[in-house]
Amino acid sequence: MSFESDLLAILPRLRRFAASLSRDRADGDDLCQAAVEKALRARDQWQAGTRLDNWMYRIMRNLWIDEGRSRQRAARTFAPEEAGEHVGHAGDRDVEAHMMLGDVDRAMNALPDEQREAIALVLVEGLSYKEAADVLGIPMGTLTSRLVRGRGALLELLGEAA
Amino acid sequence: MTNIDEAMLIAWVDGELDEVTRRRVNRAVADDPALAARLEMHRRLRHRLSDHYAPIVSEPVPSAMEAPLRESAKVVTMPQPGGSRWRNWGMSGAIAASLLLGVAVGQWTNRADGPVLVRDGAMLAGGQLKSALDTQLASAQDGASIRIGLSFRRKEGGWCRSFDGDVVAGVACREGEGWRIQQLLPGGDERAAYRQAASGDPRIMATVDALIAGDPADARQEAAARAGGWR
C-alpha cells in the first residue's frame, strides 16, 4: 500500500474530523483539502509503520488552529450586525452550507477551540484518551478536564443537562 | 453521596476505565438512580455527537480532494525498469485472481443481499458477510456459514478481520459504518480440493501480515472491539 492509497482510504474520516472542527461543511472541506496538500508536501516527515490517521489529525488540527487565529481577528473586526451582511456576500455554497447547520453543529461551534478539538477526537473520531492527548500534544489530565468541561457545555447548549 | 465524579462517569462512557474501577462505577450506579441518570445522559451525548457526524464517512469524497493524491500516486508508483521478478509474479497473480473474481463479483453486486457491494469504486461487505463481520466473534461461531479467522488492528488504525465462507474468503477492514474488502478469494467450496482452515490460507496470511499492527486480538479484545462498534 502506498502513502497515497493509505491516505485515500482514511480520507472520509479526515473529512468528518474537519467537519466537526469547522464552522460548517464548506469550511470543513476547505480544511481537509488543505491538510491533504500539506501532507503531500510533508510526506517525508511521516514515519512508515506509525499511525497515518493520527499524523493527519495532527496536521489538520494545527492548520485549524492557525486559521483560528485569523478567524478570531475577523470576529473582532466584524460587528454582529455586519456579520449578517457579510454572510450575504459569501458564495452560494457558503450560505447553503451555513443554513444546513443542525443543533449539534451550533453547539460545537459555541465551544472554545480547546474543548471542541478534544470532543471531536474522542466522541466523534473514537480515539482513546492516550491517542487524543498525543495528537493534541497535551497531558492526559488536561485532556480529561477539557472533555469534562466540553461535555458540560454541550449538555447545556443542547438542553440535555439533567 | 458516592465518590464517583463526573470524570469517572465520562471515562466509563468512553471505555477508558480499568476493569476494577468500571465495576466500582457499575455498583454505585446500581445503587443510585441520580448517578444512573447522569451516566445515561453522558452516554446519550456521545451517541448524539457520533451519530450526527457519522454519515459524512459514507458520503463520496469530493473529487477535488482526491485529485492531488491520485496525481501524486501516479508519479511516485511508476514501475521501475528491471524490477524484481517477485513483484511481477505477484502482480500477474493478482491480476489473474481479480479476473476470476470479476466474473463472480459481477453476479453478486447487483444483489443488495450479496456478500460484496461495489460503492464508489470500492468493494464493501454486504448482506451476511457484513453481519458476520459486524457481530460474529471468532471465539463463538459454531455452525456459522461465514467463519471469522482473525481480528486485528492495522498499522494505520482501525480494525480488520479475515473471513472464510462458502462463496468468498478474504480480509476486510472497518471504514465508517461498513467493511471495505482488502482481499477477496473464492470461498471454501470452490477451493475444496485444497481446503484448509480459514485463516491458514497463505494468501490471506500474507495480507494479514502486511496490514497488522502488533498481535491479533484475543477473545476479550475482540468482544470489546465489537462492543465499541469496531471504531
Side-chain angles (χ1 to χ4, degrees), chain B residues 56-73:
Chain B
I56 298 175
V57 174
S58 1
E59 284 174 17
V61 173
S63 51
M65 207 179 279
E66 289 186 344
L69 289 171
R70 300 210 183 279
E71 277 307 304
S72 166

Side-chain angles (χ1 to χ4, degrees), chain A residues 42-96:
Chain A
R43 61 184 295 164
D44 294 343
Q45 292 165 31
W46 181 62
Q47 292 173 331
T50 62
R51 296 272 300 256
L52 181 62
D53 53 354
N54 291 351
W55 186 70
M56 284 304 298
Y57 285 139
R58 203 170 301 132
I59 287 182
M60 190 178 283
R61 179 264 179 181
N62 290 342
L63 280 172
W64 177 69
I65 293 287
D66 289 345
E67 223 178 65
R69 297 204 180 99
S70 48
R71 204 165 52 226
Q72 275 160 12
R73 275 196 302 277
R76 278 197 298 273
T77 316
F78 292 107
E81 55 268 40
E82 286 170 274
E85 196 186 339
H86 178 62
V87 170
H89 289 300
D92 286 351
R93 182 188 74 142
D94 288 350
V95 175
E96 213 174 284

Side-chain angles (χ1 to χ4, degrees), chain A residues 4 25 33 105 129 151 160, chain B residues 10 14 16 48 64 72:
Chain A
E4 287 87 356
R25 292 296 306 277
Q33 178 99 41
D105 300 297
Y129 287 2
R151 271 160 141 135
E160 291 202 1
Chain B
I10 284 173
D14 292 336
E16 292 278 344
R48 186 158 173 196
S72 166

Side-chain angles (χ1 to χ4, degrees), chain A residues 86-119:
Chain A
H86 178 62
V87 170
H89 289 300
D92 286 351
R93 182 188 74 142
D94 288 350
V95 175
E96 213 174 284
H98 212 65
M99 272 166 35
M100 279 162 48
L101 292 184
D103 292 350
V104 173
D105 300 297
R106 285 177 213 283
M108 284 288 275
N109 283 347
L111 292 185
D113 288 357
E114 75 268 12
Q115 292 174 19
R116 190 175 351 169
E117 61 190 12
I119 296 275

Side-chain angles (χ1 to χ4, degrees), chain B residues 190-225:
Chain B
E190 296 175 45
R191 290 179 298 153
Y194 40 96
R195 176 119 170 92
Q196 37 193 331
S199 51
D201 187 306
R203 292 167 296 180
I204 290 181
M205 285 318 291
T207 303
V208 172
D209 280 340
L211 292 171
I212 196 167
D215 296 321
D218 59 27
R220 195 184 57 80
Q221 290 164 335
E222 191 185 39

Side-chain angles (χ1 to χ4, degrees), chain B residues 40-60:
Chain B
E40 175 56 23
M41 176 184 79
H42 282 300
R43 219 178 50 80
R44 252 198 340 258
L45 179 68
R46 183 173 170 128
H47 275 160
R48 186 158 173 196
L49 264 286
S50 64
D51 287 354
H52 177 78
Y53 293 102
I56 298 175
V57 174
S58 1
E59 284 174 17

